[in-house]
Amino acid sequence: MALKPWREIAVPHEDVLKGTFQQAEFAADLSRVHQGSATPEYQDAALFFQRTFITEGMRLLLDSVVKRLAGRGGDPVVQLQTAFGGGKTHTLLAVYHLAEGKTATSKLQGIPPILDQAGIAELPKAKIAVLDGVELLGLASKPRMHGGVAVKTLWGELAWQLGGAEAYALVKEADENGTAPGKGELAAVLSSQAPCIVLMDELVRYVSQFEEGKTLSGGTYDTQLSFIQSLTEALKAVPNAILLASLPFSDREAGSQQGVKALRALEHYFGRVQALWKPVATEEAFEIVRRRLFANVSDRLGAEDVCKAYADFYAENSGDFPPETQDAKYLERLKHAYPIHPEVFDRLYEDWSSLDNFQRTRGVLKLMAKVIHRLWTSGNNDLMIQPGSLPLFDADTRNEAIYYLSPGWDPVLERDIDGERAMTTELDNAKPLFGSIHACRRIARAVFLGSAPDAGAVGGAKHHRGIELERLLLGTAQPGQKVGHYKDGVRALVDRLQYLNSASNRYWFDIRPNLRREMEDRKRRFDLREDVYPFIKDKLRFASGVFGGVHVFTPSADVPDDWSLRLVVLPPDATFGRAAQTPAVDAATAILKSRGEQPRQKQNRLVFLAPDADSISRFKDQVTSVLAWASIVSDVKGGRLNLDQHQSRQASQSLEQANEEMGRMVRETYKWLLTPLQEAKPGKGIGDIQWDHFQINPAVVNRTEEIEKVLKEHELLITEWAPVHLAKMMNAWFWKDDTTAVSALDIWQKTCCYLYLPRLRDADTLRATVNTGVASRDFFGVAYGREDDRFQGFHFSERTTIILDDSLLLIEPKVASDFAAKLAQEAAEREPAIKGREVGDGAAGGASSGSGAGGATNSSSGKTVPVSKPPTSAKKTTFFGTVEIDPIKAKLQFSDVAEEVLMLFTQKPGVKVRVSLEIEAEAPGGFEDGVQRSVRENCNQLKFKNHEFGE
């Protein structure tokens, strides 16, 4: 008879099927139930008990509660104290619904047997006070209004909830004064409202906000403790009143130092009362999870057949599975846990519950709800839900699992365990024997579930790291399958997976690649500053691009203070993150402000690249891995280390893989671009230095181009500048009433110095902007000097090619316009005199030539006799000229040549001009290496066609 898969037998609850469950639904909230605003599964008593499995600890507690409320004994005070997620609040809710009495006990699943055993036919309704420390936090300093009464203290709130104004009157004076009421007053309140029950949750949170020596309207730290002491004593005097209080299990759950102190004090007062509480056992968790996640098991016989098939399968292969599977009790475990395999619960409750933030019950529910939803929607047909069934390819399931783990598991899951790109998928697809049962993926999932909580710790939650082969097979193999196929799959994974480790027949995943013990030992030999940092520095290579220099881990004294744009790469300890920016900002600020012991002048020429705070530790670890593998490969080649052929090949492959991974990580780590700037407005001062930060795309090939792109996109580097922006800057910072012409070179230099001015790529950017702007009347004029009120080499509203030197002036447009008008007026005044000279010259020519050039008149006949015109010379169509230029005065003479010769050609339309420059230099003693390097770099930057040094 064919066995049915779990999905045909066990149907999940609707919210699990649809994936509409929320985390809040798994977290019981006592206050919301008391206020009537909880979800139906917690608010409705019948539905609550229908989905609640009454554990042994809860049964004992409810037995004591019903006896106490009926006046038949029972403990007056019960302290609930279990580990995080142990079910304390859930138990308080069970007591609340039972005592409230709104729903008949006959409709509360699991309650009638408890009443029968206690000999109680009818449970009296009880008054209930719910004191939730989190919900009442504000009561410490702000009274609560109940009608027209302002309740200030915890005891006032207790009395009001139990009996309203009547009960409150008994503690009114103590409430108003903030003093703790005595045992007699509290006993009077309790007896007047009996039977009654007081439920206290998160009490430590409430008490810990009262600091010693500080008085709030809600009392003091000491009065809170006195109240608790008096309350516990008063409850002993009232036979049908009971207090249940939940306390944190550990100092970590208590929170602050004050919280730990409050916990110790409360434990002292509650310590005299034996706690009737047992944590949820693993076997009980089976039923808790099944009731919450599954609506019902529709085919009980089908479920039993599957469980028996598993038990028989384990018996037939007894040598391959853990010894406990051979016990008859294991069949009962299978039945209790169905459709989830007991091994899933064992791993979650034994291994995962050791994690600080994994709640024993809620954590299991949250994870398994996502697992079941994904398995249902993906059509999973396993017989039971085993560790090998976990859909870690699903983003929701994966994120829920790694949420509890240390950072770094994403690449492990994606590369080694589950998903389209995982190596396990590749192996399953490559070998039909594996693919037919998904052997590799199931093995990897089972190893992850059984070993992930121990990753990074020596020993972890168990004495030995990893999961045994027999337990690994227990989490993967199903009845009807060959166990040997899974064993073959394990061997294949050990050979191929990068993060899988094995030793002594145990297997585990780690967030680091599976490095051999030799490699691990060698990693510890490398010193950060002596070995790792220099290696990183060598790997951080950048094309120069727009930068005059890239300075990697360079001391401030060695970062030049000049006019070139420079990229400074900060060392690994100067990290940057959105939440922790200080190390990088401090290091960058030190370089920005100083060059060694001297103040830095050209601050606006520096931008910085910083490592990511979240990635740097993994990056350093990866570098030591590369260094370790490199030393192993080197020793193998040098005969200093004996490895077999397989190990030698594996070492070389691991080095190659480690280098590839490091290349990726160096880009992902050094991704923060930091740029300094200052806000400033004329007349309002200059603000403090601020730091803009941007992430560099780690996928780009040319990082320098990407940095330039980011800077340009955010206008932190100007490579092309509109004249209007230059004019605005001039108006804001340079042109004044008494200063209407400013040195262009001074402007360029100031943009290099001051962080509130634009950061230009280089002087050519300013030169191009001036060349464009001077052709318009809107922006500025230029000149090359000024004597008295006259400008030399003046240009305005005309095209020209400027020379950016210390003589070039930028002139305010109105002043330039006025001077241009003055020049036009002077030219107009000179024009009549020029025309007069031209007319005089024309008259003299006419007297000597008669009728003109066309012919001559014969005076005797009156006929015109043609005469020959003087020959005209052909127009010249080419020009060539050479000139020797003094190297010392080259800049000035170039300017003269451009103004006096080249402009005569370039101003004529259609004229093609080609200018070439030849430079010859000779040094009898030879050129120094630094000079040669600088010349070559500058020639390449200036796009020389040919350049070389000779002997």
Side-chain angles (χ1 to χ4, degrees):
M1 183 180 68
L3 299 173
K4 293 182 179 181
W6 69 268
R7 64 186 299 111
E8 294 182 13
I9 298 174
V11 181
H13 282 299
E14 186 176 357
D15 58 349
V16 177
L17 285 176
K18 295 181 178 179
T20 57
F21 52 84
Q22 298 177 1
Q23 179 177 348
E25 291 185 45
F26 293 113
D29 190 324
L30 184 60
S31 291
R32 289 183 61 188
V33 172
H34 189 51
Q35 295 163 3
S37 59
T39 54
E41 64 178 14
Y42 289 116
Q43 193 68 53
D44 184 277
L47 185 57
F48 173 82
F49 278 102
Q50 181 182 335
R51 293 193 177 189
T52 297
F53 174 70
I54 299 178
T55 65
E56 179 64 14
M58 187 183 294
R59 186 192 65 77
L60 291 173
L61 178 63
L62 294 177
D63 178 72
S64 180
V65 169
V66 298
K67 287 179 179 177
R68 185 72 182 176
L69 293 178
R72 297 187 182 183
D75 294 294
V77 180
V78 178
Q79 171 197 342
L80 308 180
Q81 190 174 31
T82 64
F84 190 42
K88 296 186 294 289
T89 306
H90 204 86
T91 301
L92 291 176
L93 279 176
V95 173
Y96 180 93
H97 284 304
L98 180 60
E100 188 182 30
K102 286 187 176 179
T103 304
T105 55
S106 60
K107 296 182 179 179
L108 304 182
Q109 186 173 327
I111 296 301
I114 295 175
L115 295 176
D116 291 343
Q117 186 174 355
I120 298 172
E122 184 177 353
L123 185 69
K125 290 185 178 181
K127 298 284 186 70
I128 303 175
V130 173
L131 302 180
D132 185 335
V134 173
E135 199 265 338
L136 293 173
L137 280 175
L139 181 63
S141 56
K142 184 180 179 181
R144 280 196 160 200
M145 298 304 299
H146 291 284
V149 178
V151 175
K152 297 180 178 181
T153 64
L154 201 60
W155 43 96
E157 182 69 19
L158 167 66
W160 188 275
Q161 287 194 30
L162 287 177
E166 177 186 348
Y168 175 76
L170 299 174
V171 295
K172 179 178 180 181
E173 183 177 353
D175 180 71
E176 292 177 344
N177 297 332
T179 57
K183 167 186 172 183
E185 295 168 288
L186 290 173
V189 172
L190 295 170
S191 61
S192 67
Q193 305 302 321
C196 62
I197 188 165
V198 180
L199 303 177
M200 288 185 171
D201 199 10
E202 303 289 354
L203 185 59
V204 169
R205 286 286 302 277
Y206 182 82
V207 175
S208 63
Q209 67 184 319
F210 292 89
E211 299 178 6
E212 281 194 89
K214 186 176 181 180
T215 302
L216 302 175
S217 62
T220 65
Y221 177 74
D222 289 335
T223 58
Q224 310 306 311
L225 299 181
S226 297
F227 162 64
I228 297 299
Q229 183 179 13
S230 298
L231 180 61
T232 56
E233 294 296 327
L235 283 157
K236 295 178 182 178
V238 182
N240 51 353
I242 184 172
L243 164 67
L244 280 80
S246 71
L247 294 181
F249 180 73
S250 64
D251 292 353
R252 181 185 64 82
E253 292 180 57
S256 64
Q257 291 183 351
Q258 183 69 9
V260 174
K261 180 181 178 182
L263 175 59
R264 293 288 173 268
L266 292 171
E267 284 177 335
H268 171 73
Y269 291 117
F270 286 121
R272 287 168 289 182
V273 183
Q274 183 178 5
L276 293 172
W277 179 250
K278 291 173 61 177
V280 176
T282 303
E283 308 300 325
E284 294 174 326
F286 297 170
E287 191 64 27
I288 292 174
V289 173
R290 182 163 68 179
R291 287 202 185 192
R292 177 58 189 88
L293 300 180
F294 291 92
N296 65 308
V297 175
S298 58
D299 185 353
R300 293 284 180 182
L301 292 178
E304 288 190 8
D305 288 341
V306 170
C307 294
K308 288 178 182 177
Y310 269 95
D312 293 342
F313 180 58
Y314 297 147
E316 292 168 4
N317 301 274
S318 57
D320 294 320
F321 296 102
E324 69 262 26
T325 60
Q326 307 308 308
D327 195 318
K329 293 180 180 179
Y330 200 77
L331 174 58
E332 296 304 313
R333 294 194 78 206
L334 287 165
K335 292 179 180 179
H336 286 146
Y338 185 88
I340 301 173
H341 195 283
E343 182 65 9
V344 174
F345 288 106
D346 287 344
R347 299 285 63 80
L348 291 176
Y349 277 86
E350 292 177 18
D351 301 339
W352 286 72
S353 63
S354 67
L355 298 171
D356 285 344
N357 58 343
F358 187 84
Q359 297 174 288
R360 285 176 57 86
T361 302
R362 297 176 192 173
V364 174
L365 283 171
K366 285 175 59 184
L367 177 60
M368 293 309 299
K370 293 181 183 294
V371 168
I372 294 165
H373 168 71
R374 184 56 179 168
L375 292 177
W376 185 272
T377 56
S378 62
N380 178 270
N381 281 310
D382 289 347
L383 296 177
M384 292 184 75
I385 300 172
Q386 295 176 258
S389 308
L390 266 62
L392 294 174
F393 60 87
D394 175 60
D396 284 344
T397 305
R398 174 185 301 179
N399 291 338
E400 181 64 30
I402 65 176
Y403 170 79
Y404 305 102
L405 304 174
S406 58
W409 279 99
D410 274 318
V412 182
L413 286 158
E414 290 180 4
R415 182 165 185 162
D416 271 14
I417 299 178
D418 209 354
E420 294 180 359
R421 295 179 294 178
M423 179 59 68
T424 51
T425 304
E426 182 179 327
L427 291 171
D428 280 341
N429 292 339
K431 195 170 183 179
L433 197 64
F434 293 160
S436 62
I437 56 176
H438 305 299
C440 293
R441 273 170 285 184
R442 290 178 66 85
I443 292 166
R445 294 165 184 166
V447 173
F448 171 79
L449 187 68
S451 66
D454 286 332
V458 178
K462 295 171 285 192
H463 294 296
H464 303 284
R465 289 200 63 181
I467 182 172
E468 306 94 328
L469 177 61
E470 58 187 18
R471 199 158 292 282
L472 182 54
L473 297 173
L474 179 64
T476 54
Q478 299 184 79
Q481 296 177 345
K482 296 290 185 182
V483 177
H485 293 168
Y486 285 100
K487 291 181 178 180
D488 293 340
V490 171
R491 286 188 285 270
L493 295 185
V494 170
D495 289 339
R496 296 293 298 276
L497 297 193
Q498 184 175 347
Y499 295 94
L500 180 64
N501 300 268
S502 64
S504 304
N505 212 35
R506 302 178 74 93
Y507 304 88
W508 69 91
F509 278 112
D510 203 327
I511 57 176
R512 298 171 300 178
N514 54 340
L515 309 175
R516 301 298 179 188
R517 178 170 298 178
E518 175 70 18
M519 195 277 291
E520 289 286 359
D521 291 340
R522 292 188 181 219
K523 282 177 65 175
R524 290 189 283 270
R525 302 176 191 174
F526 297 105
D527 181 78
L528 277 178
R529 298 197 175 275
E530 296 295 328
D531 303 304
V532 176
Y533 285 9
F535 187 85
I536 294 175
K537 181 177 181 179
D538 184 61
K539 296 301 178 182
L540 285 169
R541 298 174 183 175
F542 299 83
S544 56
V546 295
F547 298 106
V550 179
H551 308 276
V552 182
F553 307 170
T554 306
S556 66
D558 296 332
V559 178
D561 187 17
D562 57 15
W563 311 112
S564 297
L565 187 66
R566 298 188 178 276
L567 175 66
V568 180
V569 183
L570 299 176
D573 52 3
T575 57
F576 185 90
R578 295 189 187 279
Q581 304 179 1
T582 302
V585 169
D586 287 349
T589 302
I591 297 174
L592 181 72
K593 290 187 175 182
S594 303
R595 184 189 181 195
E597 297 181 356
Q598 302 297 321
R600 186 176 297 277
Q601 303 297 325
K602 290 84 172 177
Q603 296 185 358
N604 211 22
R605 305 311 291 159
L606 301 184
V607 294
F608 299 84
L609 190 66
D612 180 58
D614 295 332
S615 305
I616 192 64
S617 60
R618 296 196 303 274
F619 179 47
K620 291 176 184 176
D621 183 75
Q622 186 64 27
V623 170
T624 57
S625 299
V626 172
L627 292 171
W629 277 119
S631 69
I632 290 174
V633 171
S634 176
D635 286 353
V636 170
K637 291 180 179 179
R640 295 180 295 274
L641 182 66
N642 292 323
L643 297 179
D644 60 31
Q645 186 176 2
H646 171 73
Q647 290 173 320
S648 298
R649 183 170 60 253
Q650 185 181 27
S652 298
Q653 292 173 348
S654 297
L655 175 59
E656 183 179 347
Q657 291 175 351
N659 272 315
E660 290 177 2
E661 179 71 8
M662 187 197 62
R664 179 185 65 81
M665 290 188 69
V666 72
R667 294 190 298 272
E668 292 181 351
T669 302
Y670 274 85
K671 66 178 183 179
W672 288 107
L673 181 63
L674 308 181
T675 58
L677 72 158
Q678 287 177 296
E679 295 289 340
K681 293 183 180 179
K684 295 186 178 180
I686 301 171
D688 295 333
I689 296 176
Q690 301 176 12
W691 292 89
D692 274 351
H693 56 272
F694 307 93
Q695 289 195 47
I696 303 303
N697 183 357
V700 297
V701 177
N702 191 323
R703 305 192 73 200
T704 306
E705 290 183 356
E706 179 67 11
I707 291 172
E708 179 184 358
K709 176 185 174 183
V710 171
L711 290 172
K712 288 168 63 176
E713 286 177 351
H714 295 87
E715 297 184 354
L716 295 169
L717 178 64
I718 308 299
T719 57
E720 295 179 357
W721 207 16
V724 64
H725 299 307
L726 173 57
K728 286 182 179 179
M729 184 188 76
M730 297 295 298
N731 277 317
W733 296 106
F734 293 94
W735 288 325
K736 308 296 179 186
D737 292 339
D738 56 346
T739 307
T740 56
V742 181
S743 167
L745 189 60
D746 183 57
I747 295 167
W748 154 245
Q749 292 174 350
K750 281 184 168 58
T751 64
C752 295
C753 297
Y754 301 128
L755 297 175
Y756 56 85
L757 294 179
R759 181 182 293 108
L760 305 183
R761 180 181 62 187
D762 49 30
D764 287 339
T765 303
L766 180 61
R767 183 184 294 111
T769 305
V770 175
N771 281 335
T772 303
V774 75
S776 170
R777 300 182 62 87
D778 299 330
F779 307 119
F780 42 74
V782 300
Y784 291 92
R786 185 175 191 175
E787 291 184 7
D788 298 328
D789 60 345
R790 298 192 66 82
F791 294 105
Q792 279 79 44
F794 176 77
H795 296 280
F796 182 64
S797 187
E798 61 179 341
R799 293 187 178 276
T800 185
T801 302
I802 61 103
I803 303 297
L804 183 59
D805 58 15
D806 54 4
S807 64
L808 181 65
L809 301 175
L810 292 189
I811 307 167
E812 195 273 331
K814 186 177 185 307
V815 174
S817 178
D818 292 344
F819 186 70
K822 180 179 179 181
L823 292 180
Q825 182 179 356
E826 291 174 353
E829 291 173 353
R830 290 194 300 270
E831 188 173 351
I834 296 173
K835 287 186 176 180
R837 287 197 300 273
E838 290 177 350
V839 170
D841 292 342
S848 61
S849 60
S851 301
T857 302
N858 188 312
S859 58
S860 60
S861 63
K863 295 182 179 180
T864 301
V865 181
V867 296
S868 61
K869 296 182 180 179
T872 59
S873 60
K875 289 186 177 180
K876 306 297 184 182
T877 59
T878 61
F879 170 80
F880 174 78
T882 61
V883 61
E884 292 284 341
I885 291 178
D886 185 349
I888 305 301
K889 301 179 180 179
K891 188 174 182 180
L892 180 61
Q893 292 183 2
F894 277 138
S895 176
D896 292 340
V897 171
E899 291 283 345
E900 305 300 333
V901 179
L902 291 179
M903 284 185 58
L904 296 176
F905 291 125
T906 57
Q907 289 177 347
K908 299 289 185 181
V911 176
K912 297 180 180 179
V913 180
R914 186 174 68 87
V915 180
S916 62
L917 176 66
E918 293 185 2
I919 300 175
E920 294 183 5
E922 183 177 351
F927 295 104
E928 296 178 354
D929 291 342
V931 173
Q932 293 185 45
R933 183 171 58 255
S934 298
V935 170
R936 289 192 182 98
E937 290 178 357
N938 291 340
C939 287
N940 289 331
Q941 189 70 22
L942 295 172
K943 296 181 172 56
F944 274 46
K945 288 186 177 180
N946 299 296
H947 60 84
E948 64 179 345
F949 285 90
E951 297 181 353

